[in-house]
Amino acid sequence: MNVRLLLASGAALGAIALAAPASAQSAPAADEAAQTEGEGGIIVTARRQSETLAEVPASVTVFTAETLAKTGVQRADEFIQLTPGVTIVTGTAEAGDTQINIRGINGARDAESSVALVVDGILKTNTAQLNQNQGTLRQVEILKGPQGALYGRNAAAGAIVMQTLKPGDRLEGGVLVRAAQDNTYLANGYISTPVGESAGLVLSGNYSTTDGFFRNRFLGNSKTVDDQEVWGVDGRFVAEIGPDTEVDVKARYAKLSGASINFNASFHLVNFAAFNPAFFEDVNKHPFAYYSNIRPTNDQTTFETSAKIEHKFEGATLTAWVLYSDVDQSLTADGTSADFARFTFPGATPASVAAANACAASTLQLAGFPLNQPTFIGTSPVPFIFNPATGSTFGAYSPTTCDGTQFQSRQQKDISGEIRLSSNGDGPINWQVGTYYLHIDREVGVSIGADLGRGIIPRLYNAPGTDNPTTQLYNDGFKTDVYAVFAAADGDLTDRLNLSVAGRYDIEDRQVRSLVPAVRDPITGGPINPGQAVVGGVVQPIGPQSETFKQFQPKISLRYELTDDINFYGNWGVGFKSGGFNNQGSAAIVNSAFNQFIGTNVLINDKYRKEVSSAFEAGVKGSFLDGKVNFDLAGYYTSVEDMQFFEFFVGGFGLLRVVSNIDKVEVYGGELNLNAEIVKGWSVFASGNVTGSEIKQNASRPGTVGNKSPYTSDYTINLGTQLDLPVTDSVDFVTRADYRITGPTWFHTLQNDTNPTLFTGLLPTSTVALPASFGLADYSVAQRDTFAVMDLRVGFEGETWSVIAYADNLFNEKYLNEVITAVEFGGSFISPGGRQRFGVELGYKF
């Protein structure tokens, strides 16, 4: 850890002579006058009050309107790549599947986010909205460390605070269009206009489309792997009702359609490599190719509307808001279970016979079809360990029907509101008190179906005899009610010492009820959900469950003004993520398919526990050389109890997504940010973050103690430069370069470890009759390697127009977006990162 810290810090320091990322403290542009005040610098709302960035006693990265424009940033995945100590995984499985990791704290897939999203002062609660276009952005602030004292139970790792364009007293507008390779196009536009003397309206629209980087070879090199089309419209109406009252009403609608499950399978069966070396594969060396016989789809529809009112009294301001959100998303895709024979052997039911016959016919037809090694299609659909002569190794997402189908859906409606009373900032103490309420209605379903060669019926349950009969179903309805009260205050203890205290108490009532019908699996004859009991030959429904999770989240911060330009700061806070429920039946299938069959000791419950973290941060920030050089140096330590972690299980039963708990994790590290104006018009930036971590306890997988926190990169280094030089009195030459290095990353708690797999249980009964130990998997090859990506923008700007040529991933770095290790499957599901793309951008504003 100390070596990495030395290397990363040295690289960041040395890079100031070269360039670096979009550090937040660049000088504000002229159109940001509303966000600055004299020499105070950038104005932020990180603590839900307006103050200069220098006054905030924490590490905060800010992207001003100028920086957003110069970098071309549109969404969260783009500005997060410019932020030290923060990484993101998004869009690998589906569009709404976004996980942000800040300093070792990760948002687990299928649980609540660890990062609060706040747009124009309103807290959003659906994780599917994290990487959506939020309107015409004017500023983005990324807060690191627990922010629950101010923003609630989903801010354990930090918060993203966005400000969009607020209508003014004059007509203005703009349009931005892009065209790039792979039929990639983007168009954004907005218009802001006054309405009468005391009101204004902003209307924005966005559209983007791409064929993606990859093609499905089996489906005629079709553009069906990572293609996507997105459009959205939003409006904001702001009106003054008298001299002291303002109303702010917003609405947004967005639609996405495209592909899903952008994964290949990679095997880690070390002993199988004696038959074919590709059975033991380094995930970083995998050659991506796609052969699914099912065209994967992903659909997402978002509607939200909010209203906020603010009234200024003589000594305080009352702010109240309400938000309604409705996000529906679904995906269809090929299945994963061909190698475990779910749809291979004929059974006693017509559906199992039909599935087996379809599998056999497609296998015979495609025998010898070239696939990614070590997968192959023999003349028999029987797995090769039972038929070495003519059997097959399909892998996942094969061109045959033998792996079945999957349909997943997630529908969430929520309504939330807050009432807050705060000081006006003109007294010796700034304070705020308030209350918050949230109600969530969520339905989640995962359906596994038989592929009879007639496509997917996008429903959670399809009866036997249909074209796509359901053979396993998880389907639950979740209801959540959250109640919270909060308060905060800060003031000067001396002329140079400032103290801030804040606290929030959350009560979260959660309920779950199974929506799975009491029917039998047409393939196996057992219950269609493993959690269902059979009494007297009759399948019984799964009963409802409920639980209440409570947590107090305090935060204390100190800031000491060493000089007018340098501040020391320190803070401590508690973060909280509510516990919840997995799809009912999850624990039963893990116990029967793994613990009982292959002798593992994996602890999965239908209910997962709340996550609580305690975090310390200390640092120094400031400027010198008359503000030409700015810096922020911080160190941090976080202890996490019951860290929530996503587990993915694959087997003959199909697939299973669950949340487990890691009992105790420690995270620690350091971060350095530098930016400097070399000469007028030329700025350079540099930042580096190093994070160390260790799993201290893990009852779910005891053998992982001593390993690192999953989804946490060892380090990140950002380097970049920005040049803005006049060519004529009205035209500037502009260029921006951003270089990001992301260090090694483990995505699972198992790391340099071995583990039994389903092959451990199958081999002793197979034709080859190898010992169970032959089926062990070695996961030392499942770590993502260090990778570096360069983005470049070069062009010209006038007073109202711009022409920019850009390159994303200029050097075409091949890297992985995500590695989802399915431990008992014996491998990982890996997703590639974006490849090289060149384009041109035209902008106009008035």
Side-chain angles (χ1 to χ4, degrees):
M1 190 279 180
N2 291 333
V3 172
R4 289 198 303 270
L5 177 59
L6 179 63
L7 290 173
S9 300
L13 286 167
I16 196 150
L18 300 174
S23 180
Q25 301 176 26
S26 55
D31 64 352
E32 297 172 81
Q35 297 171 329
T36 63
E37 51 180 28
E39 297 180 356
I42 298 172
I43 298 299
V44 297
T45 58
R47 294 192 293 174
R48 308 187 76 176
Q49 62 188 26
S50 294
E51 58 188 331
T52 65
L53 180 60
E55 293 175 318
V56 181
S59 178
V60 182
T61 298
V62 183
F63 298 89
T64 64
E66 180 193 27
T67 302
L68 293 171
K70 287 293 192 293
T71 57
V73 162
Q74 298 286 322
R75 302 187 309 180
D77 61 329
E78 296 170 326
F79 60 70
I80 280 176
Q81 294 303 317
L82 303 174
T83 307
V86 185
T87 58
I88 186 170
V89 170
T90 184
T92 54
E94 57 182 325
D97 189 7
T98 300
Q99 300 160 86
I100 297 175
N101 185 297
I102 299 181
R103 294 178 173 177
I105 309 297
N106 195 66
R109 184 181 271 111
D110 293 337
E112 300 293 335
S113 172
S114 293
V115 181
L117 175 63
V118 183
V119 182
D120 296 323
I122 294 177
L123 175 66
K124 298 189 177 184
T125 55
N126 193 330
T127 58
Q129 296 170 291
L130 274 170
N131 201 38
Q132 293 184 358
N133 189 304
Q134 300 295 332
T136 304
L137 291 179
R138 281 295 175 262
Q139 183 157 298
V140 177
E141 305 164 24
I142 301 179
L143 290 67
K144 302 165 187 176
Q147 307 298 326
L150 294 176
Y151 294 115
R153 94 261 193 256
N154 60 341
I160 298 174
V161 180
M162 298 184 179
Q163 297 177 32
T164 68
L165 179 65
K166 187 175 182 180
D169 57 2
R170 63 183 179 89
L171 177 68
E172 63 173 302
V175 62
L176 180 77
V177 295
R178 290 178 184 168
Q181 293 166 296
D182 310 308
N183 288 322
T184 301
Y185 303 100
L186 176 146
N188 292 339
Y190 73 93
I191 186 168
S192 175
T193 180
V195 179
E197 296 183 356
S198 58
L201 175 68
V202 177
L203 294 176
S204 302
N206 65 87
Y207 174 83
S208 63
T209 183
T210 183
D211 287 345
F213 296 103
F214 301 95
R215 303 291 179 261
N216 186 317
R217 299 186 184 183
F218 179 71
L219 298 179
N221 287 325
S222 61
K223 304 163 185 175
T224 57
V225 176
D226 54 344
D227 63 302
Q228 192 175 90
E229 182 179 40
V230 185
W231 64 270
V233 293
D234 59 86
R236 184 180 187 184
F237 177 75
V238 180
E240 293 182 2
I241 306 175
D244 299 316
T245 306
E246 180 182 88
V247 175
D248 189 344
V249 180
K250 299 177 66 179
R252 185 169 71 93
Y253 181 85
K255 180 77 174 177
L256 177 147
S257 60
S260 63
I261 312 293
N262 180 10
F263 290 104
N264 275 189
S266 178
F267 290 89
H268 310 319
L269 299 166
V270 61
N271 295 313
F272 277 43
F275 298 98
N276 185 337
F279 272 113
F280 185 57
E281 180 184 50
D282 184 337
V283 293
N284 301 280
K285 298 178 181 179
H286 178 82
F288 281 91
Y290 299 82
Y291 300 97
S292 168
N293 68 309
I294 299 291
R295 191 274 196 256
T297 67
N298 184 200
D299 294 287
Q300 182 187 66
T301 303
T302 301
F303 171 73
E304 65 177 16
T305 183
S306 64
K308 182 172 70 171
I309 185 168
E310 186 174 277
H311 179 76
K312 292 184 178 180
F313 295 100
E314 183 175 347
T317 298
L318 178 68
T319 304
W321 58 260
V322 62
L323 167 70
Y324 171 78
S325 173
D326 183 355
V327 181
D328 296 337
Q329 53 191 23
S330 64
L331 69 84
T332 63
D334 216 340
T336 60
S337 303
D339 283 324
F340 302 111
R342 181 174 183 83
F343 302 104
T344 298
F345 298 107
T349 66
S352 63
V353 172
N357 288 341
C359 169
S362 64
T363 302
L364 185 62
Q365 179 184 5
L366 295 170
F369 188 90
L371 301 178
N372 288 333
Q373 288 292 317
T375 54
F376 61 91
I377 303 176
T379 56
S380 166
V382 178
F384 86 97
I385 63 173
F386 292 101
N387 186 353
T390 61
S392 306
T393 294
F394 299 101
Y397 319 123
S398 82
T400 72
T401 70
C402 303
D403 43 15
T405 66
Q406 57 177 300
F407 172 69
Q408 300 185 29
S409 69
R410 182 184 179 97
Q411 301 173 344
Q412 179 171 322
K413 297 179 181 178
D414 55 70
I415 185 167
S416 56
E418 180 181 277
I419 300 175
R420 178 166 54 101
L421 188 66
S422 59
S423 62
N424 287 335
D426 50 6
I429 296 178
N430 294 315
W431 55 269
Q432 55 183 289
V433 295
T435 184
Y436 172 83
Y437 171 74
L438 165 66
H439 174 77
I440 300 175
D441 246 325
R442 178 189 301 153
E443 181 181 340
V444 178
V446 178
S447 173
I448 307 301
D451 184 357
L452 304 184
R454 297 192 285 269
I456 297 179
I457 302 174
R459 290 195 301 258
L460 285 172
Y461 178 69
N462 301 311
T466 63
D467 288 344
N468 180 215
T470 300
T471 73
Q472 182 176 280
L473 179 61
Y474 303 92
N475 186 20
D476 295 275
F478 301 88
K479 289 187 182 293
T480 302
D481 288 287
V482 179
Y483 312 87
V485 292
F486 58 88
D490 75 271
D492 294 333
L493 300 181
T494 70
D495 290 344
R496 294 189 176 274
L497 181 62
N498 179 273
L499 171 67
S500 304
V501 294
R504 183 182 184 111
Y505 187 72
D506 281 89
I507 301 174
E508 183 152 342
D509 293 328
R510 289 200 162 196
Q511 304 173 35
V512 60
R513 60 188 180 91
S514 176
L515 304 177
V516 177
V519 298
R520 291 186 179 273
D521 174 357
I523 299 295
T524 67
I528 201 168
N529 182 294
Q532 295 173 316
V534 179
V535 179
V538 178
V539 177
Q540 303 297 309
I542 300 175
Q545 295 191 62
S546 63
E547 185 74 22
T548 298
F549 302 93
K550 304 176 182 179
Q551 185 64 42
F552 176 59
Q553 299 174 83
K555 186 160 189 175
I556 301 174
S557 304
L558 286 169
R559 176 176 58 86
Y560 180 75
E561 186 178 334
L562 182 64
T563 70
D564 291 343
D565 299 316
I566 298 177
N567 287 280
F568 286 105
Y569 61 88
N571 60 74
W572 167 81
V574 170
F576 163 58
K577 283 177 59 179
S578 173
F581 298 95
N582 290 309
N583 282 118
Q584 304 302 283
S586 298
I589 202 164
V590 170
N591 191 49
S592 63
F594 301 121
N595 294 338
Q596 295 179 16
F597 180 56
I598 61 176
T600 54
N601 187 28
V602 184
L603 178 62
I604 298 295
N605 296 306
D606 284 348
K607 179 179 72 176
Y608 55 89
R609 303 185 298 275
K610 69 179 182 180
E611 174 183 309
V612 180
S613 55
S614 175
F616 297 85
E617 180 187 37
V620 56
K621 64 169 67 174
S623 62
F624 52 91
L625 296 180
D626 294 327
K628 294 185 180 298
V629 177
N630 295 279
F631 68 93
D632 187 350
L633 174 65
Y636 52 89
Y637 170 83
T638 305
S639 177
V640 188
E641 302 288 338
D642 294 321
M643 175 182 280
Q644 293 170 8
F645 172 63
F646 166 76
E647 286 265 25
F648 187 55
F649 295 95
V650 175
F653 55 85
L655 57 87
L656 178 65
R657 300 162 51 132
V658 297
V659 177
S660 66
N661 290 101
I662 308 171
D663 299 79
K664 186 174 182 180
V665 181
E666 290 186 353
V667 182
Y668 44 87
E671 188 172 294
L672 174 65
N673 295 270
L674 296 166
N675 66 78
E677 184 181 32
I678 305 301
V679 295
K680 184 175 178 58
W682 179 28
S683 298
V684 295
F685 317 93
S687 63
N689 173 281
V690 174
T691 298
S693 61
E694 184 178 354
I695 296 173
K696 293 293 188 179
Q697 295 175 255
N698 188 9
S700 178
R701 293 187 182 273
T704 64
V705 171
N707 290 347
K708 297 179 180 180
S709 177
Y711 282 77
T712 301
S713 299
D714 286 357
Y715 57 85
T716 63
I717 300 173
N718 288 81
L719 311 171
T721 188
Q722 181 174 303
L723 192 64
D724 192 340
L725 298 178
V727 177
T728 70
D729 290 342
S730 59
V731 177
D732 289 349
F733 170 75
V734 295
T735 184
R736 174 90 188 191
D738 288 287
Y739 187 61
R740 165 83 167 211
I741 304 170
T742 303
T745 308
W746 291 106
F747 289 89
H748 199 276
T749 57
L750 264 81
Q751 293 160 20
N752 288 307
D753 304 293
T754 58
N755 201 77
T757 68
L758 287 171
F759 296 100
T760 306
L762 292 171
L763 280 171
T765 63
S766 70
T767 304
V768 293
L770 292 170
S773 60
F774 201 85
L776 291 175
D778 181 344
Y779 292 101
S780 61
V781 291
Q783 182 185 40
R784 182 178 68 186
D785 285 346
T786 299
F787 68 95
V789 173
M790 167 72 87
D791 294 333
L792 181 66
R793 292 167 59 84
V794 180
F796 296 92
E797 289 183 354
E799 293 181 0
T800 60
W801 57 270
S802 63
V803 178
I804 303 292
Y806 66 89
D808 296 334
N809 194 356
L810 177 64
F811 304 124
N812 200 24
E813 176 86 344
K814 305 293 196 302
Y815 66 96
L816 298 175
N817 194 350
E818 184 178 22
V819 179
I820 298 179
T821 300
V823 174
E824 283 71 31
F825 164 73
S828 298
F829 291 80
I830 56 178
S831 180
R835 301 311 195 217
Q836 181 188 72
R837 181 174 285 156
F838 296 98
V840 63
E841 173 185 292
L842 305 176
Y844 176 76
K845 61 183 179 181
F846 61 89

